[in-house]
Amino acid sequence: MVNPVLPSSGVLSPLGLDAVRPLPGFWGDRVALGREVIVAHCREWMDKEGWIGNFRGGAPRRGREFSDSEVYKLLEAMAWSGDPGLPELAALVARAQEPDGYLNTRWQGTRYLDFAWGHELYCYGHLIQAAVARLRVHGEDELTAVARRAADHVCRRFMDAPEVCGHPGVEMALVELYRATGTERYLEMAARFVARRGTPALGEVPAGRAYFQDDRPVRLARVLRGHAVRALYLAAGAVDVAVETGDGELLAAVEAQWERTIAARTHLTGGMGSRHDHESFGEDFELPPDRAYAETCAGVASIMLAHRLHLATGRARYADLAERTMYNVLATAPALDGRSFFYTNPLQVRVPEEPRAGVNHAAEGGLRSPWFDVSCCPTNVARTLAWLPGLLATGDAAGVRIDHPTPAEIRHGDLRLRVETGYPWVGEVRVRVLADGAGRIALRVPAWAEGARLSRRPAAGRPGHQPARPGYAVAEGPWRAGDELCLDLPVTPRWTYPDPRIDALRGTAAVERGPLVYCAESAGGTPSLDAVTARTGPPAEHAVAGAVELEVAAQIGVPAEPGWPYGPAPGGRDARPGGEAAGADTVLRLVPYHRWGNRGPATMRVWLPV
Amino acid sequence: MVNPVLPSSGVLSPLGLDAVRPLPGFWGDRVALGREVIVAHCREWMDKEGWIGNFRGGAPRRGREFSDSEVYKLLEAMAWSGDPGLPELAALVARAQEPDGYLNTRWQGTRYLDFAWGHELYCYGHLIQAAVARLRVHGEDELTAVARRAADHVCRRFMDAPEVCGHPGVEMALVELYRATGTERYLEMAARFVARRGTPALGEVPAGRAYFQDDRPVRLARVLRGHAVRALYLAAGAVDVAVETGDGELLAAVEAQWERTIAARTHLTGGMGSRHDHESFGEDFELPPDRAYAETCAGVASIMLAHRLHLATGRARYADLAERTMYNVLATAPALDGRSFFYTNPLQVRVPEEPRAGVNHAAEGGLRSPWFDVSCCPTNVARTLAWLPGLLATGDAAGVRIDHPTPAEIRHGDLRLRVETGYPWVGEVRVRVLADGAGRIALRVPAWAEGARLSRRPAAGRPGHQPARPGYAVAEGPWRAGDELCLDLPVTPRWTYPDPRIDALRGTAAVERGPLVYCAESAGGTPSLDAVTARTGPPAEHAVAGAVELEVAAQIGVPAEPGWPYGPAPGGRDARPGGEAAGADTVLRLVPYHRWGNRGPATMRVWLPV
């Protein structure tokens, strides 16, 4: 089976990349963009920046201490998409491995000096994930051997040692290598890394041990905290360990942490991370739109965690969050042309970023950049798009579940299905049965889709349309070629309000439509968003090329003279005596958040003052 | 004249520390606390941490690369208050100086390798400020000689070199040493440092050149930006240069930058700096209460800048901002016992900080700490309280201005005055004339003090009470011993609302009373502040020991079950059908912001949802 996550137990089983073939459509287009553009883009930049050359040696090493991991993420993306350039690059990596399995271009000769910041085990994690991808797509080859040697080295060195890596990630890789090879010590090693962290296993650092989740053991934690990517990778590894070892307590602990994280530490986009400082989660309800960090990699990691929890439990809730994050973080990060990326994904930008060429050092701001000093995000987007078909559908004993409607052909048992839909732009999802087969077909109904309906042709004795409640809409087989299911999801634009405890969003609302978050964007001469107030009437829809845009009525405040910005009048300096803001009527155009920033420097707001 | 800032021209002249003697009262108590507790506290910690021992040599050096500057700030505090321990500490410093004047315990032997981060010139700045203090209080001695040697070395090395220091500060010190010694090359060196920065004079850094104000020259900048302390020290140095060189254009540039900074980048407390990331200003109207950085040192620096602009222009507006910052940042930083300090001064704390002993590594949070890795704030509080009497009153050709009413005796010419007041707790400020004298007496009327009145006894033919508009209330001499002026400032609590462009404060209001910002504090079993909504009726006042506390009516929301925190109902998950928040009526006790956090771990809000 070709999939990055193949648990040996769980409510759901993933469908392989060989069983789900995306067709042109929202995700199919992006999978193709990843394969045809982003992989080559990452390869070019890593050649230029010397990160690939580091494996050749000879010249002074370049890049940050974790740059090897970017090469491995590229290898993983190439593996999933069968890229013919993989063997050559894998051979280069293989030559840099030391006889005992150690492999790191930064620390060779001075290995394991600094577990907090060295990233050596983290790099093995990405190496192993690349090798597992290659093994599942192609079969055993040199890359498998490299990964086994590295994993065996890790087991020898760390099975009974006290250390863990400052950056989690190796845990899920070791579990997957165990799943792919059957070698049980890899699972044992992963389980020990998960159990060891938080005992504590690392030293004190200025950011505090919570930065790398070493403040308390995973099974005793209340909520995800610290560096968002690290927290999410660790939680994903803990789920893998829990599933393989039958540790229901550990799984329940991660589920509870996920619930609290969703309830109080997640942006509307699904983005995670509220602080630029240490790239970390904030406190509960600390969710500033302007300084939202919402790193692209944290979005990827959140999808990975939600996918694992979904497989383990079958709860649609996890797929809902994955969908939100796929459409509003994963799809947002790359430019429409696949050649530049957001590192952070804030929900408000007040000042248009000035364009600049080349590497972005600050890794933030309102313009996508082709490359970064810390360039984890482009390669993470590349590998995630490469395996994304493996996320779209799942199977259980009863049949197949279509978790993410997008044009695709799906095989499961003797069932052959074609999904036809313009989703997310339209709400109609049509599933055509291509060959006679048995089993249940279930379609996920997102939590926002109140009023969804499922219809079947031929009607099989039931009314033409059944209401479909959030969760799964289910139709039982057997099926004949030519049968058809149609799920109607209501994608009417809707106003969404924040919990009153989210201080940074008080007095605002956002517009969503289906799984998409929308935003106002100031590019192209539209009015300033500094002092805008929107009216929460029904937004108007406009089909544009490749998307649906919206319009809402608004008022633009009159900028006041500079002065002390605090005063006795409610509404501030722009206030009229009656407390109403003065201003001119206007119409705000809203674009899907994932499309913002593709027309040059702009200001942007997801949350509109209302 | 004994004052840290003695411009040779300007609308106002400072009164010396010898001419303003604080009596027990709000500031007199704090000046005494600084002299009697904080200086010794800083000395003890720097002995313990080895930062003083670094000047002895022999042992491995300890502390950050700029720790010498903390010793110099301590020396400055000791100089202003005539501390008898100064000569011994100064002699220790002197012995570490190299023959050519170079002096730095971190970089000796490897000098000037790194202008961006080395802090060598920054350290000279604090050394020179200490020496100027000693010179003015005591006369020339060994410390003067050390400072002259250092300044001469700087002039030789940098007069025609291209570099500046990554951290400004030496500019104002050199101008003051010029003022104290008449050596003109010090002024010329300062002027060149100010002119050179932003040309650019330093390399590119990840945070961007704006971090150390090297993105554009001072006279071309629009607003203060980057690292807040650096920006404010540089602006203060630019004012010093402008005043001494008669450069009205440079002065006007800084004034305009100050106005824009006040209008869009300053917290209600006067605190400056919105980002923990790089300790920096944010964009215009990026003023989050919870993540406000508002470093104590930025408060000190803002007082220094406002004081200089006030002297240069005579505009009460600058003293207004200084007062706000004195009462709400400078007075907030030290605990009431003077033995622990805030480094950052946020306007909201959601989660009580866990107490911890010893050095605070993160330099942030909701509990004061006795010391920090980067311990700039305690010594900055110490030196600022030591010279604070020099800020309280100014003179001009017509007479004396009392800028900050606090119990004190003041001499100016033949005038001898005693200020008697319980300000800021009461609004009555009484000025008693102690000896016959001539000249105008002016009392500053803060901008918030609408309805203030001035009365005079004997009435000198005028009505007993004159209205006193914001700016200065003026009474002309001559005066006889026993005459009395009384300024009545209305210190009724008032609700203050934010400019609607400050997104993070939408839907909130704060309570101020006189110059004091108030806050709700959750210590001692008072209800959670997570979901509180205040009613903006008149707050009730309660006198408590040493302060006035307030009470406002409020509702406490009912915490909802955890879940996705965004939904279709205005008001969020706690909403009743009518849009009203459900909740229990309560009374919120408000304490002066500068007194919060003195009763153990607590949550806190300045801005209350209304």
Side-chain angles (χ1 to χ4, degrees), chain B residues 427-584:
Chain B
E428 187 186 80
V429 180
R430 211 166 277 277
V431 180
R432 290 176 53 199
V433 178
L434 302 182
D436 295 3
R440 176 189 292 169
I441 299 174
L443 288 133
R444 187 174 56 85
V445 179
W448 49 261
E450 291 289 347
R453 293 181 308 171
L454 183 71
S455 62
R456 179 171 185 167
R457 264 203 332 225
R462 298 188 184 186
H465 289 83
Q466 315 165 35
R469 320 266 310 209
Y472 284 94
V474 168
E476 303 291 346
W479 304 92
R480 303 282 308 264
D483 284 1
E484 202 172 284
L485 277 174
C486 185
L487 178 66
D488 264 307
L489 298 170
V491 293
T492 313
R494 61 192 191 276
W495 285 95
T496 297
Y497 297 82
D499 185 294
R501 287 170 292 185
I502 306 176
D503 293 291
L505 302 181
R506 186 168 292 112
T508 68
V511 175
E512 297 181 279
R513 182 178 183 279
L516 299 178
V517 172
Y518 275 70
C519 65
E521 187 185 9
S522 70
T526 51
S528 157
L529 301 174
D530 277 0
V532 73
T533 308
R535 296 212 181 84
T536 56
E541 303 196 358
H542 296 279
V544 299
V548 173
E549 295 185 349
L550 306 176
E551 282 182 1
V552 298
Q555 270 200 330
I556 300 291
V558 181
E561 289 300 302
W564 185 242
Y566 310 101
R573 293 176 299 179
D574 293 346
R576 284 182 183 159
E580 292 266 318

Side-chain angles (χ1 to χ4, degrees), chain B residues 142-153:
Chain B
E142 188 175 15
L143 196 55
T144 326
V146 171
R148 282 184 195 269
R149 282 195 296 267
D152 290 341
H153 159 75

Side-chain angles (χ1 to χ4, degrees), chain B residues 299-352:
Chain B
V300 165
S302 174
I303 292 167
M304 292 168 70
L305 174 60
H307 181 47
R308 282 160 171 76
L309 289 169
H310 184 232
L311 294 176
T313 66
R315 291 176 68 202
R317 181 166 178 69
Y318 294 118
D320 279 6
L321 193 273
E323 176 176 64
R324 179 176 292 277
T325 313
M326 287 158 62
Y327 278 102
N328 300 297
V329 180
L330 179 62
T332 304
L336 293 176
D337 71 1
R339 298 184 188 282
S340 59
F341 303 84
F342 282 136
Y343 189 114
T344 67
N345 295 277
L347 283 74
Q348 176 178 1
V349 170
R350 282 196 188 79
V351 179

Side-chain angles (χ1 to χ4, degrees), chain B residues 98-412:
Chain B
E98 300 184 27
D100 71 345
Y102 184 89
L103 174 48
N104 191 291
T105 69
R106 167 67 183 81
W107 301 105
Q108 51 194 355
T110 58
R111 60 174 76 173
Y112 302 131
L113 288 180
D114 184 355
F115 286 97
W117 305 108
H119 287 82
E120 285 151 296
L121 290 160
Y122 167 79
C123 287
Y124 291 138
H126 282 299
L127 171 69
I128 292 169
Q129 289 182 339
V132 168
R134 177 67 173 169
L135 173 58
R136 289 191 176 142
V137 170
H138 171 270
E140 295 242 358
D141 71 355
E142 188 175 15
L143 196 55
T144 326
V146 171
R148 282 184 195 269
R149 282 195 296 267
D152 290 341
H153 159 75
V154 168
C155 291
R156 283 194 307 274
R157 171 66 179 76
F158 294 98
M159 192 67 79
D160 298 307
E163 296 101 348
V164 300
C165 184
H167 200 312
V170 73
E171 299 82 0
M172 52 183 158
L174 285 167
V175 174
E176 216 59 46
L177 188 62
Y178 153 72
R179 289 168 174 163
T181 64
T183 306
E184 289 188 356
R185 64 177 172 277
Y186 302 153
L187 173 61
E188 175 63 19
M189 185 72 259
R192 290 194 187 189
F193 280 142
V194 168
R196 199 175 283 164
R197 186 177 295 269
T199 53
L202 294 161
E204 189 56 75
V205 287
R209 285 203 182 91
Y211 172 75
F212 31 43
Q213 297 74 49
D214 195 37
D215 52 332
R216 67 199 63 183
V218 174
R219 72 179 67 233
L220 299 182
R222 191 191 77 86
V223 66
L224 299 187
R225 69 228 172 271
H227 187 278
V229 177
R230 292 171 204 242
L232 289 156
Y233 279 2
L234 176 65
V239 172
D240 287 337
V241 166
V243 165
E244 294 307 320
T245 60
D247 188 340
E249 184 188 284
L250 181 59
L251 179 62
V254 177
E255 281 205 278
Q257 290 162 36
W258 186 91
E259 285 292 346
R260 293 198 188 92
T261 303
I262 295 307
R265 298 187 174 196
T266 304
H267 298 280
L268 182 65
T269 53
M272 293 189 184
S274 288
R275 297 182 178 179
H276 286 238
D277 215 29
H278 313 308
E279 309 190 306
S280 70
F281 286 102
E283 301 291 356
D284 284 355
F285 303 112
E286 180 189 327
L287 290 161
D290 50 350
R291 295 294 285 169
Y293 200 67
E295 185 183 336
T296 297
C297 288
V300 165
S302 174
I303 292 167
M304 292 168 70
L305 174 60
H307 181 47
R308 282 160 171 76
L309 289 169
H310 184 232
L311 294 176
T313 66
R315 291 176 68 202
R317 181 166 178 69
Y318 294 118
D320 279 6
L321 193 273
E323 176 176 64
R324 179 176 292 277
T325 313
M326 287 158 62
Y327 278 102
N328 300 297
V329 180
L330 179 62
T332 304
L336 293 176
D337 71 1
R339 298 184 188 282
S340 59
F341 303 84
F342 282 136
Y343 189 114
T344 67
N345 295 277
L347 283 74
Q348 176 178 1
V349 170
R350 282 196 188 79
V351 179
E353 186 87 358
E354 286 172 30
R356 48 184 165 186
V359 171
N360 178 330
H361 298 284
E364 60 184 65
L367 274 183
R368 293 175 181 86
S369 176
W371 205 247
F372 305 90
D373 281 346
V374 175
S375 216
C376 44
C377 297
T379 52
N380 233 347
V381 168
R383 71 174 184 130
T384 305
L385 290 176
W387 68 260
L388 199 83
L391 182 78
L392 301 177
T394 47
D396 59 16
V400 64
R401 300 200 198 186
I402 298 170
D403 288 297
H404 299 284
T406 201
E409 285 192 2
I410 297 175
R411 287 190 292 105
H412 185 252

